[in-house]
Amino acid sequence: MTWPALPTEPPERSAAAPEPRLTLTQWLAHGPFLAQLVVTRRCNLSCGYCNEYDRDSPPVPLAALEARLRKLRQLRTWVVCLTGGEPTLHPQLVEIVARMRELGFRRRQLITNGYRLTPELIEALNAAGLTDLQISVDGVRPSATTVKVLEPLRDKLVELSRRGRFQVVVSGVVGSAPPGEALQVVRFAREHGLTPRVILLHDGAGRLKLSPEELGVYREVQRLLGRAGREARDYRDRLIRDGRAPFRCRAGARYLYVDELGKVRWCSQARALFERDLLSYSLADLREQFHTAKPCNPGCTVGCVRTASAYDAWRA
Ligand SMILES: C[S@@+](CC[C@H](N)C(=O)[O-])C[C@H]1O[C@@H](n2cnc3c(N)ncnc32)[C@H](O)[C@@H]1O
Ligand code: SF4
Ligand code: SF4
């Protein structure tokens, strides 16, 4: 897939007088808790289950990313997570993280497939102030679907556990590798002081896609994880049991997915359903999207949005 050319300069609007920050009260009512920021759509891998990458997009220019980060601060965004594609392909990744700290984001996160992690990069991310890293490890041996597995990544994980001064979450997609391998990944992560987590495989429309055997493994992993494995009011158990787990999705308000063109989308799985420029995003947009019912919500598997929405579950 070819994407439109990326802007080389931040749009003119960023040169204008800075907009006032949201007040604390405005943020508490409708403001973003988490923003995922795509720093490049390109990826060095091609996982069989993924619809979030291409082979040829250029990295988003640092100046454009800075403008987006400043805007996210103006909206009082609490946590920013760098994603892609594969964010370690961005040549200025460390500078982006350092800028996130200068701008005052409380948590500065990165999701990576880990292939390009080196001791030097881990140390540089320490120095830049990364607070959380999520590395995706789906199973043990490479397959046609995924090579994000323990065999090629074991040494990287050991380096992370030795050197990383940030929290490391090892996250596997259950359903993407032979079922028993997910359990081995959880055990490996635990033995090395890393935090295991599982994601359930979804199809191209974001719906759950698991065989009965894979569901059995998921249950076993959840048993091993105990309370730590429970997310957003156990929506996954409800999805498995009832085929639906409706919720009030606050994407576009509590959660912002900012794509490589600087557009806010509802999330990675509903990219086609909503699009608005981040740099002109306003309190009115936050309010509107907070109250917009998302048609895809009953079968939604996007855990981070469910978590970001849980705080307001009681609100109409
Ligand atoms: C799109 S990737 C971007 C970051 C990085 N390339 C990586 O793989 O970690 C973000 C997360 O989405 C997950 N993901 C991608 N496609 C998925 C699918 N169909 N079902 C469940 N999780 C998926 C990946 O495993 C990864 O944890
Ligand atoms: S899941 Fe991550 S590593 Fe795999 S193709 Fe998608 S963006 Fe690349
Ligand atoms: S319900 Fe919300 S998070 Fe889930 S797919 Fe739809 S827009 Fe995305």
Side-chain angles (χ1 to χ4, degrees):
M1 190 191 315
T2 307
W3 290 76
L6 300 173
T8 50
E9 295 297 331
E12 281 171 22
R13 193 188 156 77
S14 64
E19 292 168 73
R21 274 174 85 188
L22 252 59
T23 65
L24 187 57
T25 313
Q26 290 167 333
W27 177 77
L28 282 172
H30 301 103
F33 299 148
L34 167 67
Q36 292 199 312
L37 183 62
V38 173
V39 298
T40 179
R41 185 58 71 184
R42 188 161 78 91
C43 189
N44 50 343
L45 304 182
S46 50
C47 304
Y49 51 73
C50 179
N51 61 8
E52 298 181 43
Y53 74 101
D54 70 19
R55 308 296 304 176
D56 45 25
S57 285
V60 180
L62 185 60
L65 288 171
E66 283 192 347
R68 291 170 202 173
L69 287 169
R70 277 196 300 276
K71 176 69 192 185
L72 290 171
R73 257 325 262 157
Q74 186 249 322
L75 298 175
R76 280 186 178 262
T77 309
W78 187 251
V79 181
V80 174
C81 177
L82 304 179
T83 187
E86 176 46 41
T88 58
L89 288 172
H90 198 293
Q92 286 142 320
L93 177 68
V94 173
E95 281 141 277
I96 301 166
V97 175
R99 197 74 189 103
M100 283 156 71
R101 179 165 63 182
E102 282 161 28
L103 285 168
F105 293 103
R106 297 303 288 265
R107 283 173 67 185
R108 304 167 288 274
Q109 305 183 330
L110 172 68
I111 308 185
T112 175
N113 62 38
Y115 266 73
R116 290 169 58 87
L117 286 177
T118 58
E120 294 73 26
L121 180 56
I122 297 169
E123 294 295 354
L125 290 170
N126 280 336
L130 191 74
T131 60
D132 304 82
L133 179 143
Q134 179 185 303
I135 179 167
S136 308
V137 184
D138 296 331
V140 177
R141 277 167 290 280
S143 69
T145 306
T146 178
V147 295
K148 299 194 301 190
V149 288
L150 263 189
E151 274 180 6
L153 289 172
R154 193 173 264 118
D155 292 350
K156 313 267 186 196
L157 289 163
V158 171
E159 281 297 340
L160 275 172
S161 74
R162 280 198 194 129
R163 293 175 188 271
R165 295 206 299 270
F166 36 80
Q167 196 199 2
V168 179
V169 172
V170 178
S171 162
V173 178
V174 170
S176 60
E181 294 191 3
L183 287 168
Q184 292 184 55
V185 175
V186 169
R187 291 199 184 98
F188 180 91
R190 283 236 166 120
E191 283 162 17
H192 290 81
L194 309 172
T195 306
R197 177 176 180 240
V198 285
I199 306 175
L200 298 182
L201 185 67
H202 56 69
D203 64 16
R207 307 285 139 165
L208 210 60
K209 193 184 163 199
L210 290 178
S211 69
E213 196 189 2
E214 288 158 350
L215 285 177
V217 167
Y218 166 69
R219 293 218 165 84
E220 181 61 19
V221 171
Q222 288 302 82
R223 200 186 56 74
L224 269 179
L225 295 182
R227 280 181 66 81
R230 298 176 61 180
E231 283 179 21
R233 301 166 67 231
D234 291 331
Y235 75 93
R236 294 182 293 203
D237 293 340
R238 284 182 289 138
L239 271 182
I240 291 167
R241 192 184 58 233
D242 308 332
R244 59 200 303 279
F247 77 116
R248 293 188 172 123
C249 171
R250 309 298 187 180
R254 296 307 196 193
Y255 167 89
L256 302 177
Y257 179 90
V258 182
D259 75 5
E260 67 278 28
L261 302 173
K263 308 277 185 204
V264 176
R265 312 273 179 169
W266 277 342
C267 70
S268 65
Q269 298 309 303
R271 298 208 292 279
L273 301 185
F274 173 72
E275 167 190 325
R276 206 162 286 173
D277 265 332
L278 172 68
L279 294 187
S280 48
Y281 217 70
S282 65
L283 182 59
D285 293 313
L286 292 171
R287 282 201 186 111
E288 177 195 275
Q289 292 309 310
F290 186 97
H291 292 292
T292 299
K294 316 300 190 299
C296 32
N297 88 80
C300 171
T301 54
V302 187
C304 57
V305 184
R306 283 186 177 263
T307 301
S309 303
Y311 174 75
D312 302 293
W314 58 278
R315 289 170 65 187

